[in-house]
Amino acid sequence: MEEVQDRRELRGGMEAEEPASPQEPLSPPSLPPPPTPLSPVAPESPGLSPPEQPSEAYARQLLLEEWRPPGGSLELPPGLTWKLLFLRRPLYRNLLRSPNPEGINIYEPAPPTGPTQQPLETLGNFQGWHIRTEKLQHNCSWTVKQQCVDLLAEGLWEELLDDEQPDITVMDWFEDSRLDMCVYELHVWLLATDRRTTIAQHHVAPRTSGKGRPSCWVQVSHVFRQYGPGVRFVHFLHKVKNRLEPGGLRRTRVTDSSVSVQFRE
C-alpha cells in the first residue's frame, strides 16, 4: 500500500501527482548501531493509577483487547512477559526518535520562514537522526536525515516478526516548498540481523502539481505487508531540497515522520 496525499483543508486545491521512482540506492548507507531504547514507562490506562502495575493476567487482557491480534491471542517466547510488553508497548506506537524535531503542526500551514544561515541541528531537537548534506547543481542541495530502528530492542520478538509478519507502516509529511518539482524523497529498507541484507524496500519521490497555495503539507505513506521472515531493522531515510539564496539557505521542511508496527485489520 502506498499513499501520497496533501492536507486538503490547508492546500486550497493543490494536488499531489503520482509519485515518481527515484534513483534507488542499492543498499542503505552505513550507520552506527541504533541507540538503546529509553527505559519503558508505564502508559496511563483507564482504571489504573500511575504507580500501579497490572498483574500478568490483567496486562495480557488489556493488550489483547488493544492490539486485536489474528485469532485473538499471542504466544510469547520464554523470558518475555505481558507485564513487560505492557510497559514497552512495541505495537501501535512510533518507533522513530524525535519525529517532529522543529515542533511543526501539520494541521496548520507551514509557518513562514526566510533563508537562514543557522545549522539545521540548532533549529530543534534532532536527537536520534543522522544528518548530512548532498550538493546539487544550481545552488540546490539535499538535506538527508536517517535513522535505523532495532525492532527487537524496541520490544518486538522474532516469532512475531517471522510468523505473524505484522504490517510495518512508514509515514511522513513534507512541505510543498516550490523550490523544485521534486523537493522530497523517501527511502526505507527492511533489514536482516546483519543490517546489510535487504528483505524489502520502498523508494518514492513524489511531485506536486504546483497549484494552490505553497507551504501546505503533503503526506507520504507506505505499508510493508507479507515481507517474509528475518526482518530485524527498519532503516528510514528521507531527503528534502534546499536552495541557497543571498540571505542563506531556504529549506523544505518535513515533520511527523513515523515507523510503526501493527496487525492487519
Side-chain angles (χ1 to χ4, degrees), residues 98-104 113-135 141-147 175 217 238-242 248-255 257:
S98 309
N100 185 354
E102 298 179 68
I104 300 174
T113 181
T116 179
Q117 298 184 10
Q118 292 182 270
L120 179 63
E121 293 85 345
T122 67
L123 301 178
N125 175 19
F126 291 88
Q127 183 178 3
W129 292 101
H130 297 268
I131 303 173
R132 61 184 172 86
T133 300
E134 292 181 1
K135 297 294 184 180
S141 62
W142 287 114
T143 292
V144 183
K145 293 172 39 245
Q146 58 189 311
Q147 55 180 288
E175 174 191 7
W217 296 107
H238 58 202
K239 304 165 68 169
V240 287
K241 191 162 290 183
N242 315 303
L249 201 64
R250 186 176 295 277
R251 302 186 301 113
T252 299
R253 288 163 292 181
V254 63
T255 190
S257 311

Side-chain angles (χ1 to χ4, degrees), residues 165-222:
Q165 293 181 29
D167 290 352
I168 298 176
T169 301
V170 295
M171 188 178 298
D172 217 0
W173 294 84
F174 71 90
E175 174 191 7
D176 181 28
S177 63
R178 309 287 173 87
L179 295 181
D180 200 350
M181 281 292 294
C182 177
V183 297
Y184 171 91
E185 290 185 6
L186 174 67
H187 305 274
V188 185
W189 297 264
L190 304 188
L191 304 176
T193 303
D194 60 7
R195 298 179 64 206
R196 293 189 300 271
T197 303
T198 299
I199 295 175
Q201 57 188 304
H202 176 70
H203 308 277
V204 65
R207 286 168 168 76
T208 55
S209 65
K211 301 176 183 178
R213 292 180 300 170
S215 297
C216 55
W217 296 107
V218 182
Q219 183 191 49
V220 180
S221 64
H222 178 74

Side-chain angles (χ1 to χ4, degrees), residues 41-52:
V41 177
E44 294 184 4
S45 298
L48 290 177
S49 58
E52 183 180 352

